[in-house]
Amino acid sequence: MKASKIRTENLNKVFHTRHQDIYAVKDANIDIREGEFVSLIGPSGCGKSTIIRMIDDIIKPTSGSIYIDGKEITSYKRIPKEINQKMGFIFQLPNLFPWLTVRENVGIACRIYKIRDEGTQRYIDELLEMAGLTEYQNAYPAEISGGVMQRIGVIRAMVHKPEILLMDEPFGALDAMTREKLDMEILDIWKKLGTTVIFITHNVEEAVLLSDRVYVMGTNPGRITREITLDLERPRSLDLLTERKFQDYCAELTECIGHVDLRKVK
Amino acid sequence: MKGNKKWLNIVSPVILLIVILVCWELYVAVSGIDARILPAPHVILSKLGERFMRDLSGDFLYTIQVILIGYCISIPSGILLAALCSQSKLVTKAITPVLILMVVIPMLTLVPILQLWYGYVMKVRIIVVICQAVPIICLNTLRGFTKVETAKRELFRSMGAGRFKTFVKLIFPNALPQVFVGLKLGCIFSTIAAMSADLAASNEGLGSRISVYSGMLMTDMAYGTIIVVALIGIVLFMIVAYIEKKVVIWIK
Ligand SMILES: Nc1ncnc2c1ncn2[C@@H]1O[C@H](COP(=O)(O)OP(=O)(O)OP(=O)(O)O)[C@@H](O)[C@H]1O
Ligand SMILES: [Mg+2]
């Protein structure tokens, strides 16, 4: 069994707002091995984004620990560059910079991390090619469609060759057809690069189609309620969608999520 | 279609201007109003053409210098001040009403005080221009510096970017449209401030010319001088707007 890549220990996050304290994440324990593809699934507001935002040091946890490659990171005020650089974050919305061209948007991490070796430009070419964006590379974000923008958001997170990809519902805003297509592209990339992935979604099929393992989350307080390991063949294709085993997993997951919601109502 | 529209942008204001001038011309001719109160446009223009080089060119150069030097000092000062203030929410909150106050106060009130200190020199008027232009540039730039989408800030945070990098690569380019709003208002404010300083200091400059000409009931030349001032303002504005178009290419 491969080494643990990302691990959290009793991770908690409380947001203090003017009216109330929101327990966004309560005692989350996750353990993800190197090269694994893991999904976080759950209803809106259950703290999915909050968990990976804490892992990427965008926000600090209220208590608990996060280990990246066995190294504790929550005690740092800002995590060291070499750990930060291991991670790439893909946002819920494309979040592109309108003043940069597509190519410059993709390369922004290299500018921030000061990666200037000659391979970089070639790697950007490769990523653009892989995502079918070569023809758009000199366009500005205002000139392109939503699906294309989201692809840019995805390859932008990879340009510094991170070992970990944190994806926050990258295709949530897209139509089902485009999403399935991009899901398959994600699998291709994941296989090619061997990165460890945490993928957030609230779409059950998407989670089953992509993942090795799924953490189910519930709301109020946001917490992990179930963990399901998916015993499905790889490589996966869209043909899987019609298979019995796939549909069983989907039903099981849907039930878990529904169950959680019912408990919340009570 | 697009070319057509561009063409309209220039032609329609010109047509409007011509219509106004024709109405003015007709009104003066029909009503027989005293030329010392309202001279006809053609009289103003011909007088101006006739006397500009002899009577006005010196004041013209003087005022242009005041405006340009003042404006060119105000641009980096206003932006730098905004950059510094934007580093702290508290300072931003504290300085915003002060800036608004300074925008509203006509700075020509400084002229007598400054002249006590420095005497009758150009520096006094340049200071007036700076005091009027810096607040409006700073105010708008500051608004740009403090309004950055959270998601974009988070992306920079996720890349571990420090304060300086975040400013240079995110906050500044993100604020550029707002910076240019400040710069465009700044050149108008500079022109107005130079005029008012001329009026208050009254011995050189186009502003003092206007009051001299009106005093001597040379209304046509007073109007002519006003036209020259307006042209300075418009040309400056157009130059800044042109640069904006070349820089802020992502907003159509
Ligand atoms: N900065 C914040 N201040 C206050 N409350 C917050 C903040 N960020 C998140 N929350 C709250 O924390 C809870 C979890 O939010 P989070 O964004 O992690 O949910 P999510 O599972 O990603 O939901 P979605 O699927 O809608 O993206 C929500 O109740 C949200 O309102
Ligand atoms: Mg979310």
Side-chain angles (χ1 to χ4, degrees):
Chain A
M1 191 180 262
K2 283 194 172 168
S4 160
K5 191 80 183 168
I6 308 164
R7 192 159 67 81
T8 69
E9 234 175 55
N10 295 331
L11 199 58
N12 284 283
K13 179 71 190 181
V14 183
F15 289 107
H16 305 281
T17 66
R18 211 175 305 162
H19 312 290
Q20 54 176 335
D21 289 350
I22 300 172
Y23 229 120
V25 175
K26 185 171 168 55
D27 291 330
N29 291 295
I30 62 175
D31 192 351
I32 295 164
R33 290 184 300 282
E34 196 176 338
E36 217 180 357
F37 198 120
V38 174
S39 288
L40 283 181
I41 195 167
S44 190
C46 68
K48 305 182 293 291
S49 300
T50 305
I51 287 187
I52 63 167
R53 277 147 51 96
M54 287 191 283
I55 293 172
D56 199 27
D57 193 40
I58 295 173
I59 53 174
K60 286 286 176 205
T62 309
S63 68
S65 321
I66 300 168
Y67 300 86
I68 305 285
D69 284 327
K71 201 164 165 55
E72 217 289 320
I73 61 163
T74 51
S75 47
Y76 293 107
K77 192 158 172 280
R78 296 291 283 271
I79 61 174
K81 193 178 154 208
E82 65 271 14
I83 299 179
N84 188 296
Q85 217 166 322
K86 283 184 185 179
M87 296 186 270
F89 196 100
I90 298 165
F91 286 78
Q92 224 160 338
L93 291 170
N95 203 8
L96 303 180
F97 301 106
W99 55 88
L100 298 178
T101 63
V102 168
R103 192 190 176 86
E104 289 164 343
N105 264 291
V106 170
I108 183 82
C110 293
R111 304 243 302 265
I112 302 294
Y113 291 130
K114 293 210 182 91
I115 305 171
R116 287 208 201 85
D117 56 288
E118 51 188 288
T120 308
Q121 290 308 317
R122 243 181 297 128
Y123 191 56
I124 295 178
D125 285 332
E126 242 173 77
L127 286 173
L128 287 166
E129 173 85 43
M130 191 163 70
L133 295 170
T134 311
E135 58 173 313
Y136 300 105
Q137 61 173 316
N138 294 317
Y140 284 88
E143 301 159 14
I144 56 187
S145 72
V148 174
M149 279 197 213
Q150 202 57 51
R151 283 203 183 122
I152 299 167
V154 171
I155 60 171
R156 172 178 60 188
M158 302 188 198
V159 78
H160 56 291
K161 304 189 177 166
E163 297 162 20
I164 298 168
L165 278 176
L166 305 166
M167 307 199 204
D168 192 351
E169 291 188 55
F171 312 129
L174 303 178
D175 62 282
M177 290 253 292
T178 316
R179 183 169 64 210
E180 279 170 6
K181 186 161 174 284
L182 294 181
D183 281 344
M184 298 325 286
E185 285 176 20
I186 286 287
L187 279 184
D188 273 351
I189 293 167
W190 171 69
K191 201 175 65 193
K192 215 179 283 173
L193 304 180
T195 41
T196 309
V197 176
I198 301 185
F199 189 92
I200 289 183
T201 177
H202 49 235
N203 183 308
V204 171
E205 278 93 17
E206 195 178 31
V208 178
L209 181 64
L210 298 177
S211 327
D212 294 316
R213 209 144 50 85
V214 181
Y215 285 107
V216 181
M217 291 187 66
T219 38
N220 269 340
R223 69 215 184 280
I224 291 168
T225 52
R226 268 294 286 279
E227 179 193 339
I228 295 176
T229 305
L230 303 166
D231 182 21
L232 295 168
E233 308 265 287
R234 287 204 190 264
R236 295 181 189 170
S237 71
L238 291 174
D239 298 337
L240 195 64
L241 291 172
T242 53
E243 273 181 32
R244 187 62 205 271
K245 215 167 167 189
F246 176 89
Q247 288 167 351
D248 286 348
Y249 275 130
C250 288
E252 188 183 347
L253 265 179
T254 309
E255 222 218 273
C256 290
I257 298 168
H259 189 58
V260 167
D261 273 358
L262 276 185
R263 277 211 315 224
K264 192 189 110 191
V265 173
K266 248 194 274 174
Chain B
M1 188 61 203
K2 214 173 182 186
N4 207 356
K5 264 189 191 151
K6 236 182 199 168
W7 179 76
L8 269 180
N9 278 349
I10 300 168
V11 169
S12 48
V14 169
I15 291 177
L16 180 64
L17 191 68
I18 290 173
V19 168
I20 292 172
L21 287 177
V22 168
C23 291
W24 183 348
E25 194 74 59
L26 283 175
Y27 176 76
V28 172
V30 172
S31 70
I33 191 170
D34 191 333
R36 283 171 299 185
I37 295 169
L38 189 70
H42 78 272
V43 177
I44 296 172
L45 290 177
S46 67
K47 261 281 168 50
L48 185 64
E50 193 181 296
R51 304 185 65 162
F52 179 80
M53 285 314 286
R54 186 158 54 91
D55 291 353
L56 274 183
S57 55
D59 298 290
F60 174 77
L61 287 178
Y62 185 87
T63 300
I64 280 269
Q65 272 184 65
V66 171
I67 295 173
L68 285 184
I69 296 174
Y71 183 50
C72 289
I73 294 174
S74 302
I75 294 172
S77 320
I79 295 175
L80 196 68
L81 185 63
L84 292 176
C85 295
S86 69
Q87 296 304 309
S88 149
K89 274 201 181 114
L90 187 70
V91 175
T92 304
K93 271 187 191 146
I95 204 165
T96 303
V98 178
L99 288 172
I100 294 173
L101 200 71
M102 288 182 70
V103 168
V104 177
I105 297 174
M107 289 299 166
L108 72 99
T109 44
L110 290 177
V111 170
I113 305 163
L114 288 173
Q115 279 181 339
L116 277 183
W117 280 42
Y118 295 114
Y120 293 79
V121 286
M122 189 191 271
K123 190 156 80 180
V124 167
R125 302 183 200 194
I126 293 174
I127 293 174
V128 171
V129 170
I130 293 171
C131 290
Q132 199 84 74
V134 165
I136 190 75
I137 293 175
C138 184
L139 192 67
N140 282 280
T141 307
L142 191 58
R143 185 170 306 152
F145 286 166
T146 46
K147 289 230 154 58
V148 187
E149 268 176 76
T150 321
K152 295 203 163 62
R153 272 188 192 281
E154 285 184 350
L155 176 59
F156 264 68
R157 168 86 202 209
S158 125
M159 293 186 289
R163 238 165 211 254
F164 184 71
K165 253 189 194 156
T166 308
F167 185 81
V168 173
K169 294 215 151 58
L170 171 64
I171 295 176
F172 189 73
N174 184 66
L176 269 177
Q178 205 58 46
V179 172
F180 271 100
V181 172
L183 295 188
K184 284 193 283 191
L185 286 171
C187 70
I188 295 171
F189 273 57
S190 299
T191 312
I192 296 173
M195 273 321 100
S196 56
D198 282 352
L199 280 171
S202 75
N203 44 2
E204 274 169 298
L206 291 175
S208 54
R209 279 283 115 180
I210 295 173
S211 74
V212 169
Y213 283 135
S214 337
M216 293 162 70
L217 286 183
M218 293 169 70
T219 318
D220 41 11
M221 279 311 285
Y223 275 93
T225 314
I226 290 172
I227 291 174
V228 173
V229 173
L231 281 178
I232 294 174
I234 291 170
V235 168
L236 255 181
F237 186 90
M238 277 166 43
I239 292 172
V240 179
Y242 177 78
I243 296 171
E244 180 185 20
K245 249 196 189 135
K246 295 282 147 196
V247 175
V248 189
I249 35 178
W250 61 93
I251 291 179
K252 293 269 147 64

Short mmCIF file of all heavy atoms in Angstrom, two decimals, chain A residues 187-206:
data_model
loop_
_atom_site.label_atom_id
_atom_site.label_comp_id
_atom_site.label_asym_id
_atom_site.label_seq_id
_atom_site.Cartn_x
_atom_site.Cartn_y
_atom_site.Cartn_z
N LEU A 187 -9.74 12.16 -16.08
CA LEU A 187 -9.21 10.82 -15.83
C LEU A 187 -7.94 10.56 -16.63
O LEU A 187 -6.97 9.99 -16.14
CB LEU A 187 -10.26 9.76 -16.16
CG LEU A 187 -11.33 9.51 -15.09
CD1 LEU A 187 -12.25 8.39 -15.51
CD2 LEU A 187 -10.69 9.20 -13.75
N ASP A 188 -7.96 11.00 -17.90
CA ASP A 188 -6.76 10.86 -18.75
C ASP A 188 -5.56 11.52 -18.11
O ASP A 188 -4.49 10.94 -17.98
CB ASP A 188 -7.01 11.54 -20.11
CG ASP A 188 -7.68 10.59 -21.08
OD1 ASP A 188 -7.78 9.39 -20.74
OD2 ASP A 188 -8.10 11.05 -22.16
N ILE A 189 -5.78 12.77 -17.72
CA ILE A 189 -4.69 13.55 -17.14
C ILE A 189 -4.18 12.91 -15.86
O ILE A 189 -2.98 12.75 -15.65
CB ILE A 189 -5.17 14.99 -16.83
CG1 ILE A 189 -5.47 15.73 -18.14
CG2 ILE A 189 -4.13 15.75 -16.03
CD1 ILE A 189 -6.23 17.01 -17.94
N TRP A 190 -5.12 12.49 -15.03
CA TRP A 190 -4.77 11.88 -13.74
C TRP A 190 -3.91 10.64 -13.96
O TRP A 190 -2.91 10.43 -13.31
CB TRP A 190 -6.06 11.53 -13.01
CG TRP A 190 -5.87 10.70 -11.78
CD1 TRP A 190 -5.30 11.09 -10.62
CD2 TRP A 190 -6.26 9.34 -11.60
NE1 TRP A 190 -5.32 10.07 -9.71
CE2 TRP A 190 -5.90 8.98 -10.30
CE3 TRP A 190 -6.89 8.39 -12.42
CZ2 TRP A 190 -6.13 7.70 -9.78
CZ3 TRP A 190 -7.12 7.13 -11.91
CH2 TRP A 190 -6.74 6.79 -10.60
N LYS A 191 -4.31 9.82 -14.96
CA LYS A 191 -3.57 8.60 -15.25
C LYS A 191 -2.16 8.94 -15.74
O LYS A 191 -1.16 8.34 -15.33
CB LYS A 191 -4.32 7.79 -16.31
CG LYS A 191 -3.93 6.33 -16.32
CD LYS A 191 -4.80 5.55 -17.30
CE LYS A 191 -4.54 6.00 -18.73
NZ LYS A 191 -5.55 5.52 -19.69
N LYS A 192 -2.11 9.95 -16.61
CA LYS A 192 -0.84 10.33 -17.22
C LYS A 192 0.13 10.89 -16.18
O LYS A 192 1.31 10.60 -16.19
CB LYS A 192 -1.10 11.38 -18.30
CG LYS A 192 -0.16 11.25 -19.49
CD LYS A 192 -0.47 12.30 -20.54
CE LYS A 192 -1.70 11.98 -21.38
NZ LYS A 192 -2.08 13.09 -22.28
N LEU A 193 -0.38 11.73 -15.27
CA LEU A 193 0.51 12.43 -14.35
C LEU A 193 0.67 11.74 -13.00
O LEU A 193 1.58 12.04 -12.24
CB LEU A 193 0.02 13.86 -14.12
CG LEU A 193 -0.17 14.72 -15.37
CD1 LEU A 193 -0.66 16.10 -14.97
CD2 LEU A 193 1.13 14.83 -16.15
N GLY A 194 -0.24 10.82 -12.68
CA GLY A 194 -0.14 10.11 -11.41
C GLY A 194 -0.33 11.00 -10.20
O GLY A 194 0.22 10.74 -9.12
N THR A 195 -1.11 12.08 -10.34
CA THR A 195 -1.33 12.97 -9.20
C THR A 195 -2.34 12.36 -8.24
O THR A 195 -3.12 11.49 -8.59
CB THR A 195 -1.90 14.33 -9.66
OG1 THR A 195 -2.87 14.07 -10.66
CG2 THR A 195 -0.84 15.22 -10.20
N THR A 196 -2.30 12.88 -7.02
CA THR A 196 -3.32 12.54 -6.03
C THR A 196 -4.43 13.57 -6.18
O THR A 196 -4.15 14.76 -6.30
CB THR A 196 -2.71 12.63 -4.62
OG1 THR A 196 -1.51 11.87 -4.61
CG2 THR A 196 -3.67 12.13 -3.58
N VAL A 197 -5.69 13.11 -6.20
CA VAL A 197 -6.78 14.05 -6.45
C VAL A 197 -7.83 14.00 -5.35
O VAL A 197 -8.24 12.93 -4.91
CB VAL A 197 -7.47 13.73 -7.81
CG1 VAL A 197 -8.67 14.65 -8.03
CG2 VAL A 197 -6.50 13.85 -8.96
N ILE A 198 -8.22 15.20 -4.89
CA ILE A 198 -9.46 15.30 -4.11
C ILE A 198 -10.45 16.04 -4.99
O ILE A 198 -10.19 17.16 -5.44
CB ILE A 198 -9.30 16.06 -2.79
CG1 ILE A 198 -8.25 15.38 -1.90
CG2 ILE A 198 -10.64 16.10 -2.05
CD1 ILE A 198 -8.13 16.01 -0.53
N PHE A 199 -11.56 15.39 -5.28
CA PHE A 199 -12.52 15.92 -6.22
C PHE A 199 -13.84 16.16 -5.49
O PHE A 199 -14.38 15.25 -4.86
CB PHE A 199 -12.72 14.89 -7.34
CG PHE A 199 -13.53 15.38 -8.50
CD1 PHE A 199 -12.92 15.96 -9.60
CD2 PHE A 199 -14.91 15.24 -8.50
CE1 PHE A 199 -13.66 16.39 -10.68
CE2 PHE A 199 -15.67 15.68 -9.59
CZ PHE A 199 -15.03 16.26 -10.68
N ILE A 200 -14.32 17.40 -5.55
CA ILE A 200 -15.59 17.71 -4.88
C ILE A 200 -16.71 17.75 -5.89
O ILE A 200 -16.55 18.27 -6.99
CB ILE A 200 -15.48 19.08 -4.17
CG1 ILE A 200 -14.56 18.94 -2.97
CG2 ILE A 200 -16.85 19.55 -3.73
CD1 ILE A 200 -14.45 20.20 -2.18
N THR A 201 -17.81 17.18 -5.53
CA THR A 201 -18.97 17.20 -6.42
C THR A 201 -20.22 17.00 -5.58
O THR A 201 -20.14 16.58 -4.43
CB THR A 201 -18.86 16.08 -7.48
OG1 THR A 201 -20.03 16.09 -8.29
CG2 THR A 201 -18.73 14.71 -6.84
N HIS A 202 -21.39 17.37 -6.12
CA HIS A 202 -22.59 16.86 -5.46
C HIS A 202 -23.38 16.01 -6.43
O HIS A 202 -24.57 15.78 -6.27
CB HIS A 202 -23.43 17.96 -4.80
CG HIS A 202 -23.73 19.13 -5.66
ND1 HIS A 202 -23.43 20.41 -5.31
CD2 HIS A 202 -24.27 19.20 -6.88
CE1 HIS A 202 -23.79 21.22 -6.26
NE2 HIS A 202 -24.31 20.52 -7.23
N ASN A 203 -22.65 15.54 -7.46
CA ASN A 203 -23.25 14.67 -8.44
C ASN A 203 -22.78 13.23 -8.20
O ASN A 203 -21.60 12.92 -8.31
CB ASN A 203 -22.83 15.17 -9.83
CG ASN A 203 -23.47 14.37 -10.94
OD1 ASN A 203 -23.40 13.14 -10.94
ND2 ASN A 203 -24.08 15.06 -11.87
N VAL A 204 -23.72 12.36 -7.85
CA VAL A 204 -23.39 10.99 -7.48
C VAL A 204 -22.70 10.23 -8.62
O VAL A 204 -21.66 9.59 -8.42
CB VAL A 204 -24.67 10.25 -7.03
CG1 VAL A 204 -24.39 8.77 -6.86
CG2 VAL A 204 -25.20 10.85 -5.74
N GLU A 205 -23.25 10.32 -9.84
CA GLU A 205 -22.66 9.60 -10.99
C GLU A 205 -21.22 10.03 -11.21
O GLU A 205 -20.35 9.22 -11.47
CB GLU A 205 -23.46 9.84 -12.28
CG GLU A 205 -24.68 8.97 -12.44
CD GLU A 205 -25.92 9.66 -11.90
OE1 GLU A 205 -25.85 10.90 -11.72
OE2 GLU A 205 -26.91 8.97 -11.62
N GLU A 206 -21.01 11.34 -11.12
CA GLU A 206 -19.67 11.86 -11.37
C GLU A 206 -18.68 11.28 -10.35
O GLU A 206 -17.59 10.84 -10.70
CB GLU A 206 -19.68 13.39 -11.29
CG GLU A 206 -18.45 14.05 -11.88
CD GLU A 206 -18.53 15.57 -11.83
OE1 GLU A 206 -19.16 16.11 -10.90
OE2 GLU A 206 -17.94 16.21 -12.72
#
